[in-house]
Amino acid sequence: MSNTGMNMRGKITFYEEKNFQGRSYECMNDCSDMTSNLSRCQSCRVESGCFMVYDRNNYMGNQYFMRRGEYSDCMSMMGMRENIKSCRMIPMHRGQFRMKIYEKENFGGQSHEMMEDCDNVMDRYRMNECQSCNVMDGHWLMYEQPQFRGKMMYMRPGEYRNFRDMGMSGQRFMSMRRITDSC
């Protein structure tokens, strides 16, 4: 059984303007709609923990991983085209990591169980792509390109029959990385 430390909270502060200026909003959990707190968000400080931020409400759209640090200009530092619209705190996980990846949607095609990072699905497993997965333990980031590059998607424990339901239409993933407690 996995041990997810829910008592270990993260903290992120969002600012309306670049360089930590303007109105601010402090967040210590998930927020599906940032516009209810700020008119826009262009910089932030992660004081503790790890977060995923999204450029659309309800945890949709492009996703960006943020760990402890200062982000004085989110638009240019992370290549964002839109302001941050929602965020999700990533719980600290201690224990093993396990994810089964599938070549096709609905758990079809070739499959492989992973417990470590994979920098290239094609090289390691001879899979052309990953279109569905089952995250059994831990929290993971999946990337559209090998070597942990390109668009990313946060995966928490659960079954993911296809990635379209998460706003990732036509997306294929070629590398995966565990989110460890080093945030």
Side-chain angles (χ1 to χ4, degrees):
M1 180 185 263
S2 68
N3 177 15
T4 303
M6 296 305 274
N7 59 341
M8 303 193 86
R9 288 280 188 207
K11 182 177 175 185
I12 187 170
T13 305
F14 297 99
Y15 299 86
E16 283 188 329
E17 305 296 334
K18 296 175 185 176
N19 299 312
F20 319 109
Q21 301 296 308
R23 291 186 334 133
S24 65
Y25 171 66
E26 190 175 282
C27 186
M28 294 175 44
N29 50 29
D30 297 351
C31 180
S32 64
D33 183 5
M34 295 290 296
T35 59
S36 62
N37 300 296
L38 297 174
S39 61
R40 65 182 170 274
C41 176
Q42 294 190 2
S43 60
C44 64
R45 274 191 185 104
V46 179
E47 295 179 39
S48 59
C50 296
F51 290 83
M52 287 305 289
V53 297
Y54 304 80
D55 65 4
R56 291 179 35 207
N57 292 338
N58 298 313
Y59 321 112
M60 301 291 279
N62 293 313
Q63 305 180 22
Y64 304 89
F65 178 68
M66 304 185 91
R67 64 180 62 218
R68 187 179 178 135
E70 295 190 341
Y71 302 85
S72 61
D73 182 355
C74 294
M75 304 288 272
S76 66
M77 290 176 82
M78 296 183 294
M80 293 182 78
R81 292 188 187 110
E82 301 288 331
N83 289 306
I84 296 170
K85 301 280 177 58
S86 57
C87 78
R88 189 180 297 273
M89 188 189 78
I90 301 172
M92 178 108 33
H93 175 78
R94 297 192 195 286
Q96 69 178 356
F97 287 78
R98 287 188 327 134
M99 175 170 62
K100 191 164 189 175
I101 59 172
Y102 297 85
E103 187 175 30
K104 304 288 182 196
E105 290 183 346
N106 295 310
F107 312 122
Q110 242 187 109
S111 68
H112 295 278
E113 188 169 311
M114 300 173 44
M115 296 178 78
E116 299 290 330
D117 297 350
C118 176
D119 63 356
N120 191 321
V121 169
M122 182 65 175
D123 289 350
R124 184 174 296 171
Y125 301 118
R126 301 291 178 236
M127 286 175 65
N128 290 327
E129 57 194 343
C130 171
Q131 296 261 334
S132 57
C133 70
N134 180 10
V135 177
M136 295 159 286
D137 289 301
H139 300 260
W140 298 75
L141 289 176
M142 298 178 72
Y143 296 83
E144 71 175 337
Q145 298 173 18
Q147 308 300 321
F148 316 114
R149 293 187 328 231
K151 289 183 180 178
M152 64 179 77
M153 184 165 64
Y154 167 54
M155 310 299 286
R156 55 189 182 173
E159 291 185 346
Y160 301 90
R161 294 187 169 280
N162 68 63
F163 302 131
R164 280 191 314 261
D165 295 343
M166 300 174 70
M168 294 294 193
S169 181
Q171 195 71 39
R172 52 185 245 171
F173 294 96
M174 300 301 293
S175 56
M176 295 84 185
R177 174 176 280 162
R178 298 162 296 150
I179 302 175
T180 61
D181 61 354
S182 61
C183 292

